[in-house]
Amino acid sequence: MNRNNFLLIVFTAVLFYTCQDGRFKQGEGLYEFYCSSCHMLDGSGLAQLYPPLNASDWLNENKDQLPYIMRFGIEDTLYVNGQEYTIPMSGLPELSAVEISNITNYILSAWDNDLGKMSFKEVQNSLDSKKD
Amino acid sequence: MKLSNLMCILCVIGLYSCTQKESGPLPYIGHHEVVNGDTIFHKIPSFDLINQDSQAVNNKSLSNNIYVSDFFFTSCPSICPKVKKQMLRIYDRYEKQDLLKLVSHTLDPKRDDVEVLHTYAKNLGVENEKWLFLTGDKDQIYDLNDDYFVAVIEDERAPGGIDHSGKIVLVDKNGHVRAFAEGTDPEDVTDFFQDIDRLIEEYEQK
């Protein structure tokens, strides 16, 4: 291996590593700005007013709806971890699909959540889905 | 021998942390006036509002209590839920301390009528008289808002850039503001517990 190749590999590795590290940085910042006021910084929600996003059984079962909810809101009686929630949440139309994707992937792995990832295609599908 | 060493260390740590803790009466916050040699402290003016159970609440009904106060409205999407989370911490911590009440004033009395406030309180898990959610005449509430925060602003250590909307204010039995906390900052509210404890002590010593 010549020296240039070696440097290239090191450089790529470093780049890859730092990118990995900051993977959901934008999502985290957007979450803080747009969601944390109600759902709290630690995703714990507030009593029976705002449901939790951390370890939420509802989210676990409906994670494909997460992007849709961000854009269009949700007005339903929800049961999250055994508690009933009835206050509607308004959508945030100012968020772009890319921003929604970043927030989604931040939430799916934030705190105690280990709900995998969502590709940009899946996020778009969710945004395009029609609710009955 | 090992144990006594440990005890020694613990004593020193204990003593040290005692000296760290502030004690004695809390200061009076806000504008002071001297009239005929007597100092008059800023005071929450009289008010007449109504709570989530349709009960009238005024200064008189609170004169046997100290209370922490905040301003909010139920449909507020910004900082109010964070402040409420901290008010809830205070509520839980002092659940058995009857001297302390919590008083939340709506800034949107038109929408937040008794019924809306009742549901809101219930959803927060509050179904008693310890935490009052007040609505009523809008002008009166906005004037009050000024009075709670005028005191705070005048006492603000950092000059300029005042955004007082998330403050939680501690009021004594006579309506004087004695301490305040940044309601969006959990650590500041943890320190605020000490202020509340000190005010409770003031009354328990009497």
Side-chain angles (χ1 to χ4, degrees), chain B residues 60-184:
Chain B
K60 241 198 187 139
S61 43
L62 285 171
S63 62
N64 284 321
N65 295 99
I66 65 172
Y67 62 93
V68 291
S69 157
D70 74 333
F71 287 78
F72 82 114
F73 51 105
T74 60
S75 58
C76 159
S78 54
I79 61 167
C80 314
K82 281 192 177 159
V83 177
K84 278 293 170 292
K85 184 105 180 176
Q86 297 308 315
M87 288 288 278
L88 197 57
R89 271 180 79 205
I90 298 173
Y91 177 79
D92 286 339
R93 187 182 154 106
Y94 296 96
E95 202 187 339
K96 302 225 160 64
Q97 174 54 262
D98 291 335
L99 185 60
L100 183 79
K101 281 192 187 283
L102 295 90
V103 182
S104 294
H105 309 72
T106 178
L107 289 167
D108 185 8
K110 211 167 145 194
R111 195 188 324 206
D112 293 345
D113 57 19
V114 168
E115 210 182 315
V116 170
L117 290 181
H118 187 88
T119 310
Y120 186 87
K122 209 172 123 208
N123 282 334
L124 263 179
V126 176
E127 285 183 80
N128 57 31
E129 298 262 291
K130 185 177 188 68
W131 191 344
L132 307 170
F133 295 82
L134 303 185
T135 185
D137 176 57
K138 185 164 179 172
D139 291 340
Q140 205 192 127
I141 296 176
Y142 275 73
D143 285 349
L144 263 183
N145 182 35
D146 286 345
D147 266 292
Y148 277 95
F149 296 110
V150 160
V152 174
I153 290 167
E154 282 180 355
D155 219 75
E156 196 75 59
R157 275 134 228 156
I162 296 156
D163 177 15
H164 54 74
S165 48
K167 294 274 194 298
I168 300 177
V169 174
L170 176 65
V171 181
D172 70 14
K173 283 188 186 179
N174 297 319
H176 298 305
V177 174
R178 304 295 296 274
F180 59 90
E182 197 52 66
T184 51

Side-chain angles (χ1 to χ4, degrees), chain A residues 39 42-62 77-85 111-113 115, chain B residues 85:
Chain A
H39 294 287
D42 60 0
S44 61
L46 176 59
Q48 259 177 275
L49 290 165
Y50 306 109
L53 298 179
N54 183 28
S56 149
D57 58 358
W58 190 93
L59 187 60
N60 194 10
E61 280 157 36
N62 302 281
T77 300
L78 298 182
Y79 294 91
V80 183
N81 299 343
Q83 295 240 50
E84 187 184 275
Y85 295 88
W111 321 297
D112 303 329
N113 287 347
L115 302 176
Chain B
K85 184 105 180 176

